[in-house]
Amino acid sequence: MDTEILTSLCAICNANPPKYRCPRCLARTCSLPCTQRHKQWASCSGRRDPAAYVRKTELQNPALFDRDYNFLSGIERSFERGARITEHIGIPPAAESGIDQPKRGAAALKTAFEAGEVRVMRAPKGMRREKENSTTWNRKRKGVTWTVEWVYSGGERCLERFFETLTLAEAWGQVVAATLKRQRKRKREGDGDGDGEREKEGKEVFIYLHIAHTPGTVKVLAPLQSSVSIKDALRGRTVLEFPTFYAMAQSPGELPRGFALEDVKLEARKRESQAPEAVIEGAKEQQEGSGDPMAPANPEIGEIPTAHSAINAPHLELQRAAVSDSAVEAPAI
């Protein structure tokens, strides 16, 4: 009796010769029920993998070109089908649905920033500061409700939202009240002590605006009067997403290490930028007075030896000798 080899029969029922081959895993089946059973048992999608490895010798196979063409045509059909479905359901396109569009009130915010002479720099999308920014345009009060960062004793940080006409003293009072409320809640839950916050409430503080994007590791602060409004405090300033105010017990003349006043920092930077120009102008005046283009800038001190001058010293001596010889041997006219 003839017996069929199992490998030449259906991989599912092992009873009938196969008629179909799975495009995904190349399993051979004999009927639709066996094909469905194969997908269920093997968790196979039955779809050809477009990223499957193909040998170099098979790249010129016409069947392979047909396979790639069918794959690209399938993508195109998927887009067309999706467009028809969204149009039938009534879903607006992405450009009209607000995806990656400016937030509501962004135009009014931009106008308010320009009127208040405030330059707002945007952080990259996904950064913490960009996520924390909830500054909005208040349509009822016709003004900006700022997200404000407060940094106080020990480097503690909190974020609150204030309308732009609120004074810094009033805003700081609300920060202290909110912090005390959180402290009392933690104390009722048995975590923390409120003595430090009560001490903060009675202390006099000096308020400073942090100047964003200043070079160096020193934080540059601008002292502010507590009676000015947030809007006036930010006029002519640059902030990163939202302003940062420091509430410190130290006066402007007693800032701790790591902080510097804006005027002092600007004056130091101005002196640094003017120092090279002054040296160059002084050297030019002394060279013009001596008449020797190779003469040092200050004859009493002499040239400052540098690596460049040490290497080029012989060449400078030869140039000076050539200049002097040409001056002596020049014929009289």
Side-chain angles (χ1 to χ4, degrees), residues 170-213:
E170 294 170 342
W172 172 244
Q174 293 185 20
V175 170
V176 172
T179 308
L180 282 172
K181 187 177 180 180
R182 290 193 296 267
Q183 188 72 18
R184 293 191 192 101
K185 183 178 179 181
R186 288 198 297 267
K187 190 175 181 181
R188 285 197 301 269
E189 296 174 354
D191 180 20
D193 184 13
D195 294 339
E197 300 300 331
R198 282 194 295 270
E199 182 183 354
K200 181 197 301 181
E201 185 181 19
K203 267 189 176 182
E204 180 185 2
V205 296
F206 296 89
I207 300 177
Y208 304 87
L209 174 66
H210 179 236
I211 307 302
H213 284 289

Side-chain angles (χ1 to χ4, degrees), residues 2 11 29 49-50 87 103 120 131 135 151 166 205 264 276 295 302 306 322:
D2 295 338
T29 55
D49 183 11
E87 184 179 357
K103 296 180 180 179
V120 179
K131 292 180 178 179
T135 301
V151 182
L166 205 67
V205 296
V264 176
T306 61

Side-chain angles (χ1 to χ4, degrees), residues 76-87:
E76 186 178 4
R77 286 194 300 270
S78 299
F79 276 109
E80 293 175 354
R81 183 168 58 252
R84 287 195 300 269
I85 292 173
T86 54
E87 184 179 357

Side-chain angles (χ1 to χ4, degrees), residues 74-145:
I75 294 177
E76 186 178 4
R77 286 194 300 270
S78 299
F79 276 109
E80 293 175 354
R81 183 168 58 252
R84 287 195 300 269
I85 292 173
T86 54
E87 184 179 357
H88 177 72
I89 297 176
I91 300 175
E96 301 175 8
S97 61
I99 300 176
D100 293 334
Q101 296 295 313
K103 296 180 180 179
R104 186 177 181 181
L109 272 178
K110 184 179 179 181
T111 304
F113 293 157
E114 292 175 354
E117 301 176 9
V118 183
R119 184 189 175 200
V120 179
M121 301 181 66
R122 299 297 182 185
K125 208 142 185 75
M127 300 294 286
R128 185 182 74 167
R129 202 165 181 89
E130 187 268 338
K131 292 180 178 179
E132 292 175 339
N133 187 10
S134 58
T135 301
T136 55
W137 171 258
N138 193 318
R139 290 187 296 174
K140 291 184 178 180
R141 304 176 68 178
K142 303 296 182 184
V144 180
T145 299

Side-chain angles (χ1 to χ4, degrees), residues 283-297 303 316 319-321 323-324:
K284 287 182 178 179
E285 291 177 0
Q286 291 184 5
Q287 287 177 357
E288 290 174 359
S290 62
D292 185 2
M294 300 296 178
E303 294 180 344
L316 294 176
Q319 291 177 4
R320 288 174 179 169
V323 171
S324 60

